[in-house]
Amino acid sequence: MPLWGTASGPPPPMAEGGGAEGSGGSSSSGAAAIRSLLPTRRRLRLDPPSKLYFPYEPGKQVRSAIRIKNVSKSHVAFKFQTTAPKSCFMRPPGGILAPGETIIATVFKFVEHPENNEKPLDQKCKVKFKIVSLKVKGPVEYVPELFDEQKEQVAVEQILRVVFLDAERPSAQLDRLKRQLAEAEAALEARKKPPEDTSPRIVGEGLVIDEWKERRERYLARQQIEGVDSV
């Protein structure tokens, strides 16, 4: 049973002495082997960089948050993966970031009760999360199939380990988590609101602007008053 639901990353390097291939084939396979040995340059900056902090509340669904920033010069697609898709989910599960753009993602996890009389915070969580990235051309629409179509270009940004925090004991990590969750909620509410319409409001088929209509009504009212005074 594989650890991750979907496989990603560059193909394994070919073994040496693999038969009589043409010069073009051997050079391309050699280049692929060299690329696989070189460290991948990060496209995304994560905060926290390698851990997901969750408040420890057995029997409840708890939340964590992670800030994701595109530090490359190109648009980048990202996607979450987890070893426990039935008990964990992410919001958003993926997306596309413009150069320099930042998003705060929320991660939801159900916390099981401790087993074998373990101390609550001493139990080791086997669940892990992985963030993969893919360079894309321009602001295209995000679909998960992007990663299947270009598997050889997918890079593993980070494997994130789960760390539980005592929800009753104040700590710097817990305070930071609460701030990030509040920012994520505010951003979600902002996305739900329809964009403000700054154009003039149009009334009826005659394209009469509200402001002009109000001025006309005030003018007619003044005319009526002056007519009464003259009589």
Side-chain angles (χ1 to χ4, degrees), residues 127-192:
V127 177
K128 291 183 175 63
F129 295 85
K130 180 166 65 175
I131 296 181
V132 296
S133 69
L134 173 67
K135 180 180 176 181
V136 295
K137 296 181 179 179
V140 299
E141 182 181 358
Y142 172 78
V143 289
E145 289 75 18
L146 285 171
F147 292 85
D148 297 328
E149 296 168 358
Q150 305 180 56
K151 288 184 178 180
E152 69 279 359
Q153 302 297 329
V154 176
V156 177
E157 290 289 334
Q158 186 62 265
I159 295 177
L160 303 167
R161 185 168 61 88
V162 172
V163 176
F164 287 122
L165 301 174
D166 189 343
E168 304 298 328
R169 180 179 298 177
S171 65
Q173 290 89 348
L174 187 60
D175 291 341
R176 191 175 187 179
L177 173 59
K178 290 179 179 179
R179 288 195 301 268
Q180 285 191 330
L181 288 173
E183 290 182 43
E185 287 297 324
L188 179 63
E189 291 299 322
R191 289 195 297 269
K192 288 181 179 179

Side-chain angles (χ1 to χ4, degrees), residues 25-230:
S26 60
S27 61
S28 61
S29 61
I34 294 174
R35 284 197 301 269
S36 67
L37 295 176
L38 293 175
T40 303
R41 184 175 180 179
R42 302 285 185 187
R43 297 165 180 156
L44 304 175
R45 180 184 299 158
L46 309 179
D47 180 25
S50 60
K51 299 175 183 178
L52 282 176
Y53 294 97
F54 290 88
Y56 186 76
E57 299 181 43
K60 295 183 179 180
Q61 180 178 271
V62 294
R63 298 180 300 160
S64 183
I66 182 168
R67 189 188 304 272
I68 306 172
K69 181 178 181 179
N70 180 3
V71 294
S72 73
K73 297 181 180 180
S74 306
H75 283 72
V76 172
F78 73 91
K79 183 174 72 170
F80 276 98
Q81 293 179 325
T82 178
T83 56
K86 293 184 178 180
S87 61
C88 304
F89 69 95
M90 291 67 68
R91 188 179 67 194
I96 293 179
L97 298 176
E101 185 179 0
T102 300
I103 188 174
I104 299 181
T106 307
V107 185
F108 298 80
K109 176 179 172 25
F110 182 79
V111 181
E112 301 286 351
H113 288 278
E115 298 179 356
N116 302 325
N117 297 323
E118 286 183 315
K119 293 182 179 180
L121 294 177
D122 288 345
Q123 66 168 344
K124 295 181 180 180
C125 183
K126 298 179 181 180
V127 177
K128 291 183 175 63
F129 295 85
K130 180 166 65 175
I131 296 181
V132 296
S133 69
L134 173 67
K135 180 180 176 181
V136 295
K137 296 181 179 179
V140 299
E141 182 181 358
Y142 172 78
V143 289
E145 289 75 18
L146 285 171
F147 292 85
D148 297 328
E149 296 168 358
Q150 305 180 56
K151 288 184 178 180
E152 69 279 359
Q153 302 297 329
V154 176
V156 177
E157 290 289 334
Q158 186 62 265
I159 295 177
L160 303 167
R161 185 168 61 88
V162 172
V163 176
F164 287 122
L165 301 174
D166 189 343
E168 304 298 328
R169 180 179 298 177
S171 65
Q173 290 89 348
L174 187 60
D175 291 341
R176 191 175 187 179
L177 173 59
K178 290 179 179 179
R179 288 195 301 268
Q180 285 191 330
L181 288 173
E183 290 182 43
E185 287 297 324
L188 179 63
E189 291 299 322
R191 289 195 297 269
K192 288 181 179 179
K193 293 181 180 179
E196 294 184 3
D197 186 7
T198 57
S199 60
R201 290 178 296 171
I202 306 300
V203 181
E205 296 179 357
L207 302 182
V208 181
I209 302 176
D210 283 355
E211 184 179 355
W212 183 88
K213 182 179 178 182
E214 293 174 2
R215 290 181 180 179
R216 182 172 178 272
E217 291 175 350
R218 289 197 298 267
Y219 171 77
L220 292 176
R222 286 199 302 270
Q223 291 290 83
Q224 292 176 0
I225 294 174
E226 292 175 359
V228 173
D229 291 341
S230 62

